[in-house]
Structures are given as C-alpha cells and as structure tokens.
Amino acid sequence: PARGPGDLIEIFRPAYQHWALYLGDGYIINVTPVATLASAKSVFSRKARVRMQLLKDVVGNDTYHINNKYDSTYPPLPVEEIIRRAEYLIDQEVSYDLLGNNCEHFVTLLRYGEGVSDQVTHLLAVLREPPDQGTACKLHGHSKAPGAKKAIGAIGFVTAAAGAFSLLGLLHSRSRERQY
C-alpha cells in the first residue's frame, strides 16, 4: 500500500525493529540517540533527539513496511493533528527508555495518543513464562522450546537487543526528564 502522512513505518534492523512516522514527501520523524559527555563515557544514553529525515536515509540497506498494526485497538488521531504534534517535536530532546519509552512508543503516541510497544510486551511475556512450559510465540508464530532452551533463547534475545541498543547509545533507564 502507498504511504500516507501519519503512517507508522517499521524498519527491520538486524537485531530489532526501528519505528518512524511518515510525514509526507519522503520524510519521516523518529528518535535518534543524543551523544553527551556522560553517554560517551558509559555508552548508555537517557535522551533522544526527535529528527525529521528522509525515509531512504534512515532505512539504508534495511527493509521496511507500513505497519499501522494498532489501528483496530486505538483509533488514529486526525492526520492533521498527528502531523502538527510531530512537527512541534522536531529537533526537541526527549527522554528515551528501551522498555518504557522507545521509538515505537514515540510514534504510537503521535499516531494514537497512546504509547505502546509490542516488542516490549512480547519480550516481557516470554521472560515471565514458567521455564517448563512450551508456548507459541504470538509475535512470530513459531513454537518456543520448553525449559532451558526457551530461557536461553529469551536471554539471547535480550542480550542481542541490549547490545544493539547500547551500540547505538539508546539503552538507558527511565528518566524524569521531559516526556513527549
């Protein structure tokens, strides 16, 4: 389907999905890590900058698709309101938190007025399951191995995600700083 202003764009990175919101004319809005003296020392950053960029530059060699997956749960705000809210935040610094305030939370808050992230919900559900139960992974439609294999798989996913985000300077704890 054709992209339209206010659409959510899911970008498939090697270890995670990055999310952006389509503004129109080839441009998106997304959050990117802020390099500060403190984050340079620790690799962990607590802030992100809201940036307007060309979709093709953000995607690079990765793949993407339009994914307004929450439209049946949360009614989208009017497109004009989504774009107005997005444009207001361009070049602003916002708090960032992998589990509670990430790039998917950011764009869903703009589109729906509600920040949600299936990636986080799914990961937390896997980690909460008893280790001896084999259950189907709802997000990807495959079976999780029971017991130790499932725990190792979840730990591996967390490690890969944490490594990817820390390399980008995105992983950090919740902050009391300005929220969007």
Side-chain angles (χ1 to χ4, degrees):
R3 298 182 298 258
D7 279 341
L8 300 180
I9 306 289
E10 184 177 19
I11 303 166
F12 297 94
R13 302 286 193 225
Y16 66 99
Q17 287 80 43
H18 180 64
W19 289 83
L21 183 121
Y22 191 72
L23 295 174
D25 297 324
Y27 284 91
I28 55 93
I29 188 171
N30 68 140
V31 290
T32 60
V34 171
T36 64
L37 183 58
S39 67
K41 287 180 188 171
S42 67
V43 185
F44 300 105
S45 175
R46 295 180 183 189
K47 296 179 189 232
R49 181 159 308 277
V50 178
R51 296 190 60 202
M52 182 174 93
Q53 298 174 281
L54 283 170
L55 175 62
K56 65 181 182 134
D57 292 344
V58 175
V59 171
N61 293 325
D62 296 323
T63 60
Y64 77 92
H65 73 143
I66 297 163
N67 191 351
N68 298 318
K69 65 183 177 177
Y70 301 109
D71 281 8
S72 61
T73 308
Y74 303 99
L77 297 170
V79 172
E80 302 77 25
E81 167 96 3
I82 296 169
I83 300 306
R84 184 186 60 75
R85 292 163 52 128
E87 288 176 343
Y88 174 79
L89 292 169
I90 293 170
D91 290 328
Q92 300 292 319
E93 209 169 80
V94 295
S95 297
Y96 187 92
D97 175 340
L98 178 62
L99 295 179
N101 201 19
N102 65 34
C103 57
E104 187 176 8
H105 289 105
F106 175 75
V107 297
T108 56
L109 185 62
L110 289 173
R111 182 172 175 83
Y112 306 109
E114 185 84 27
V116 290
S117 174
D118 266 356
Q119 292 181 99
V120 172
T121 305
H122 176 69
L123 173 61
L124 294 176
V126 167
L127 294 175
R128 280 195 292 261
E129 290 175 4
D132 59 325
Q133 285 184 330
T135 59
C137 174
K138 293 176 188 156
L139 186 63
H140 299 98
H142 59 270
S143 293
K144 289 284 183 193
K149 286 183 182 177
K150 186 174 82 177
I152 290 167
I155 291 167
F157 175 79
V158 171
T159 302
F165 279 104
S166 67
L167 285 174
L168 294 172
L170 294 176
L171 178 64
H172 53 73
S173 63
R174 282 191 187 176
S175 162
R176 290 191 180 109
E177 317 244 346
R178 185 169 91 115
Q179 301 282 319
Y180 42 81

